[in-house]
Every structure is written in C-alpha cells, then in structure tokens.
Amino acid sequence: MASSIPASAPAEVAPAAAALPTTRRRTRRLVIAGGLFVVALTAMAVTAPWIAPRDPERQSLRARLKAPGWEAPDGRAHVLGTDHLGRDILSRVIYGARVSLIVGFAAVVVGGLVGATLGIMAGFRGGFVDTVVMTLADAQLAFPFILLAIGIIAVLGPSFPTLIVVVGLSGWVGYARILRSQVLVLRSREFIDAIHALGGSVGRIVIRHLLPNVASSLIVIATLELARAIVLEATLSFLGLGIQPPTPSWGGMIHEGREYLDSAWWISTFPGLVLMATSLVVSRTGDWLRDLLDPTLRGE
Amino acid sequence: MSALFTFLGTRFVRALVALWLVSTVVFVVMRLSGDPVPLLLPPDAPRAEIFRVRAELGLDRPILVQYGVFLGNVLAGDFGRSIHFREPAMRVVASYLPATVELGLAAFALAALVALPIGVVSAVKRNSLLDHMAMSLALVGQAAPTFFLGILFILLISLKAGLVPTSGRGTWMHLVLPALTLGAFAMASIARLTRSAVLEALGMDYVRTARAKGLAEIWVVAKHTLRNAALPIVTITGLQFGTLLGGAVVTETVFAWPGIGRLAIQSIYNRDYPVVQAAVFLSAVMFIILNFVIDVIYGVLDPRVRAR
C-alpha cells in the first residue's frame, strides 16, 4: 500500500523539479552570452588602433559619400562605405565604441556611488534623511532630465568629465530607490541587531553586512543602467552636446549622416544599428541577470 | 474616503515640494550658464548700453534677490519676458504647447491602441508565433534609442517609400512619423506589461471558476480578466504618458516639430532663461498633475487603496 504511492510520485515531481534548473541553466547561458558581447565590444574599443582598417579621422575628398563595399584607389574596400568627408565608416564605428563605453561605464560608477550611498543612507537612517533623499528623487523624476542635462552641458561645455557626471547623475534614482527599500527590510533583521549589540560600528554594518546583501541587486541595476547610459550619451552626442567632432561617437555619426539620409543612408544607419544592438543586448542581459540573481526585483 | 484624501493630500504636498526643487535647480543652472546680454546686443555695443539692458532684466541685482523675485513670480505664473522673443515667457511657451500636446496625445493614443490588444492577444495565445513576434518586437522597441528610430522611420517610410513627409507640422500626414517614434517605447512597455498582467489574471482561481461554469472564453477574458489586469496597466500607461514629455524633446528635434521640447533646446542655445524656466516648469507641472490623476484613477479602480 505504502510502496505504491512513492512509486508514482517521482514520475510526477521529476519534470517540474527538472524544469526549474533547465530554465536557470538557459538563463545563465544567456547571461554569459551577453557578458561575452560586452567583453567583445570592450576588446574592440581597446584594440581599435590595430583592428580598424583605417584612420577614423582621415578625410579624403575623392572618397566622399561612397557606398558600402566601394574600393578605394589603394585597392582596399570601404566595407561600410564613407561619410561626407570621405572617412571610413567601419573604422569610425569601431573607434566610436570607445566614447560609448568610457562614458557608459564611468557613468554607471558615478550614478552607482551616489545612488547607492544615498539609498543605503535613506533606508538605514530613515526619518529626515530618508525624506530629503526621496523628495530629491521625486523632484528629479518630475521633469524631463534631458532638459537639465542639456542646460548643464551648455554651462560647463561638452567634455568627457561633464558627460560622465551628467549621465551618471541622471541614473542615481534607480539605485537609491531599490537599495533603500532593501535596506529598510534588512535593517530590522535580527543579524543587524546582533552586530549592533556586539558593538559593530555603523560603517562596519553597512560595508560588511548590508552591501553583500544588496550586491546582486546592485549588479542588476548597474547592467540596466549601462544600457541606458550608452543610449543617453548617444542622444546627447546626436544633439551636438556630446564628445565633439572629429572624435567619432555613434550618436555624433548618426547626427552627421542625417543630412545625407537620402543620398548616403549608410552614414547614420550603421552606427545606429550597432548602438541599437548594444542597447538591446546589454539591457536584456540585465533582465536575465535579474531573473538569475534576484527574481524579487521583477516588476519594479 | 478620508483615507483616500489623506493619501492624495500627502501626494499633493510632495508634488509642491518637487515643483519648488525643480524651479530652484532650473534657476541655479540657468544663472550659472553665463551672461545673456552680449548675445542680445551687437558686439560693439557701448558699455553703458550693456549695463542698461542688464539692469532692465534685473541681472545686476544680488543672486539671492534674483532668486526671491523669481520664486515670487513663479507663484504668480510670471516667468519674465523672453530675451529672444521679447514677449512674456509663459505666453511664448503656451503658444508652443498645443503642438506638443497634439504630438503627445497622438503618440499615446497610437501606443495604447496598438499595444493593449496586442498584449491581450499575446497573453491569451501565449507561446504562439504571434506572441513571440510581438514580444520580440516590443523588446527591440524598448531598447531602441528614440532618435535613431526617428531616423530609421524617416529613411524607410518617408524617403524610400515616400509615404509621408519627413518633418514639420501641418496635415495629419506630418504627425504619423513623430507619433510613431515618440510612442514606440510606450507601445513596447504597455504591450509587455499588458501581456504579463493578463497572464497573471488568467491564472487566478476566479477565472477557473468562470470557465468551470461554462462561460465562453471571450467573456472570461473580457469580464473577469481585463478588469483585474487593469490596475498595473493603468499605472504603467500613465507613467509612460509622463515619459513621453521627456521623449518629446528628442522627437521634436529630429522631426523639426514646433513644440515646447524643441523650443526649450533652442532657448538653451539662445540663453533665453525665462523661456527655459517656463518650459521646464510647465513640463514638470503637467507630469505631476498626470501622476496625481493616475493616483485618483487608481483609488477609484481599486477599493483597497481607499481602505488603506
């Protein structure tokens, strides 16, 4: 009697139990693939001088607005064509990754430091600090940040540091809100009380005990923020407020090609497609990371 | 009901504080960005003339006094005279507002009309080819930079296919591409969220009950699922409407659409502070009112909010 029940049970349980690890394994593979994409992009940016077929800033009057595949007099083809100054699009796209990644990664660090610090402070201290931080967050979300970004850049002039600070600060609210809510929950947990009772300092509690507990959320937000920062940098460059010419940037290239859309579609289209692919892959990787590390973050 | 009023009252006070902060930040940034007077006068203008214009604009007074005057005027809805247009700044912004509202509403209507049915169908026909195609497209729509989408639409729909004009404002044909560009992100987000909200509602016990009592599937979806899936959908839809205002800055620039987003950008280049302040302030007010309206709708739709 008793033996007949366990005999059928594993058959029913097994598929359900196996389904979870399979999804997780698939998600993990996707995360690794996304990570490899970022590594490849970074490698491309770092090794640009060696892998780019030509000097990205070198102009040639006789090679202006040539279609993709056009063969230059020196016998080498311009695989993605040339722009209105005869510069090689492929080389400029490769070099353009530098601006996107430098601003993107640095902005994530700036936004993460500011947002995480304020978020943890707000959650841990509560009260007045919490009210101030959350009101600031509300105010920032209350109007189109891009207007403020443009205003600040117009004041300080476009440069790498300005762009990094502006793009970074545009994203602090994301970190602050999620870390605040997590720290609020953690703060009342017994192990924090225990460390308090044992005489652990606030700094020690935050760095040794709170940070490790929110690390996975931090990684997920940082990945999603990287995608957003890259797109925002490109948007500012497109509006003429990013890294100034002749340094190639994807947004700047899309801007330059806009006047030639009718006659030379490739100038805007190729950097745009690379930008779109980067944004898509990085933000999807963030989603997958979230599924893998921290399913509770879903829907926020 | 009083709980709802307390809830809304708190939101209202926070909104006011947010508005004050927004106007202060705008004031500081715009004042830091340099003296607009040289832009207004010919390069060889005499010094006396420069001082006269500065005094006329109140720029010669201490910054704190300028700030005090500014806050007082904001309360009265007065943002000063536009340096560039030589008209009250609020009147300038107000004259550009209809174009932005038109674009925003068109984009929002397009997004909601396309996204809601797609989201519902994707949920009901989960894992079908249509579901996969729609959701892949939504992912691309969410990740694509707005300005590049605009460029792609101009290239493919306007230049290659020759269906609609590339830029400007006039007939409804001019509205198609900007509305599609501005609405793309909202469309993608609403479609994805509708799908997951409907999926979640479909898994509820009362849906099983409705099916068990023999109700036709279309009524199960229409009466029992949609109403319960409506809450998160209303929230995200409202939030998306708010982000449209920010997207308008880029979209209006790409399509030379004469709205307040493009006006704000041009005014920043012209150092026309009063217009920038008025435009940003008006955008913030609209955004905050929208959020407020969403909270009210939320309270009406969900009795639990009222009881809280």
Side-chain angles (χ1 to χ4, degrees), chain A residues 1-294:
Chain A
M1 179 82 182
S3 68
S4 71
I5 296 165
S8 66
E12 277 181 27
V13 172
L20 196 69
T22 313
T23 327
R24 279 185 69 84
R25 208 174 304 140
R26 199 176 139 251
T27 312
R28 185 151 50 212
R29 280 205 200 110
L30 287 170
V31 168
I32 292 170
L36 284 177
F37 177 88
V38 175
V39 169
L41 203 64
T42 312
M44 182 176 99
V46 172
T47 61
W50 295 281
I51 60 170
R54 290 164 194 270
D55 178 351
E57 293 176 23
R58 168 147 191 170
Q59 307 181 5
S60 165
L61 280 178
R62 265 174 295 177
R64 293 176 71 233
L65 302 173
K66 296 299 182 193
W70 180 76
E71 205 172 290
D74 64 7
R76 289 188 303 154
H78 288 277
V79 180
L80 300 183
T82 64
D83 68 6
H84 59 297
L85 296 173
R87 297 173 297 194
D88 183 47
I89 300 281
L90 176 60
S91 305
R92 289 180 68 73
V93 168
I94 293 174
Y95 270 89
R98 294 185 150 194
V99 171
S100 289
L101 291 178
I102 290 173
V103 175
F105 279 117
V108 164
V109 171
V110 170
L113 278 178
V114 175
T117 309
L118 290 180
I120 292 175
M121 260 170 56
F124 196 70
R125 287 261 171 237
F128 182 68
V129 180
D130 187 25
T131 311
V132 169
V133 171
M134 283 301 107
T135 309
L136 275 177
D138 277 359
Q140 175 152 344
L141 294 180
F143 73 106
F145 184 81
I146 192 148
L147 283 181
L148 185 62
I150 292 164
I152 296 172
I153 293 170
V155 179
L156 302 175
S159 67
F160 268 108
T162 316
L163 269 179
I164 288 167
V165 170
V166 167
V167 175
L169 288 186
S170 75
W172 74 272
V173 177
Y175 299 91
R177 291 201 146 183
I178 290 173
L179 292 189
R180 169 185 174 267
S181 64
Q182 294 199 337
V183 169
L184 263 180
V185 176
L186 283 172
R187 166 174 91 157
S188 55
R189 291 268 297 273
E190 278 163 8
F191 74 94
I192 300 286
D193 288 339
I195 302 158
H196 249 312
L198 288 170
S201 67
V202 171
R204 186 186 167 88
I205 291 176
V206 168
I207 292 168
R208 295 285 302 273
H209 300 279
L210 287 182
L211 268 185
N213 272 297
V214 297
S216 53
S217 308
L218 208 54
I219 293 170
V220 171
I221 308 165
T223 312
L224 295 171
E225 278 295 315
L226 177 63
R228 204 191 51 81
I230 289 174
V231 169
L232 182 56
E233 181 279 316
T235 305
L236 290 171
S237 292
F238 174 77
L239 293 173
L241 293 158
I243 298 305
Q244 297 299 297
T247 306
S249 71
W250 296 340
M253 292 175 73
I254 298 170
H255 173 77
E256 286 164 1
R258 202 174 135 198
E259 283 173 53
Y260 304 93
L261 268 185
D262 210 5
S263 52
W265 54 268
W266 49 90
I267 304 177
S268 289
T269 307
F270 289 121
L273 291 178
V274 176
L275 170 67
M276 207 156 113
T278 305
S279 158
L280 182 65
V281 173
V282 175
S283 60
R284 285 303 282 155
T285 306
D287 291 342
W288 295 320
L289 257 177
R290 179 178 52 198
D291 293 347
L292 202 62
L293 295 176
D294 197 352

Side-chain angles (χ1 to χ4, degrees), chain B residues 133-205:
Chain B
M133 271 170 47
M135 287 306 117
S136 310
L137 207 61
L139 283 174
V140 175
Q142 268 189 323
T146 303
F147 70 98
F148 181 61
L149 265 192
I151 297 270
L152 269 188
F153 288 150
I154 290 179
L155 178 65
L156 297 175
I157 303 177
S158 193
L159 292 173
K160 297 291 172 197
L163 294 175
V164 290
T166 54
S167 63
R169 183 182 179 220
T171 62
W172 67 269
M173 301 271 276
H174 287 90
L175 192 55
V176 175
L177 290 188
L180 197 61
T181 306
L182 182 55
F185 183 84
M187 199 184 289
S189 311
I190 296 171
R192 286 186 68 192
L193 193 100
T194 304
R195 178 181 181 273
S196 61
V198 171
L199 266 183
E200 197 183 318
L202 278 175
M204 292 290 176
D205 287 343

Side-chain angles (χ1 to χ4, degrees), chain B residues 46-133:
Chain B
R47 285 179 65 85
E49 177 69 5
I50 292 178
F51 283 118
R52 195 191 61 74
V53 175
R54 255 189 212 145
E56 190 186 300
L57 295 170
L59 294 171
D60 57 343
R61 300 160 81 178
I63 194 86
L64 273 178
V65 175
Q66 289 189 39
Y67 176 64
V69 170
F70 166 76
L71 278 189
N73 289 339
V74 165
L75 282 179
D78 176 9
F79 286 85
R81 293 178 73 80
S82 159
I83 295 164
H84 183 74
F85 295 93
R86 312 230 166 229
E87 259 187 80
M90 209 52 182
R91 195 189 298 165
V92 174
V93 175
S95 70
Y96 281 75
L97 187 61
T100 296
V101 172
E102 179 184 310
L103 177 59
L105 285 179
F108 182 69
L110 192 67
L113 285 179
V114 173
L116 291 175
I118 286 185
V120 174
V121 172
S122 276
V124 173
K125 307 255 175 220
R126 171 177 41 183
N127 289 331
S128 65
L129 182 65
L130 188 112
D131 178 27
H132 287 305
M133 271 170 47

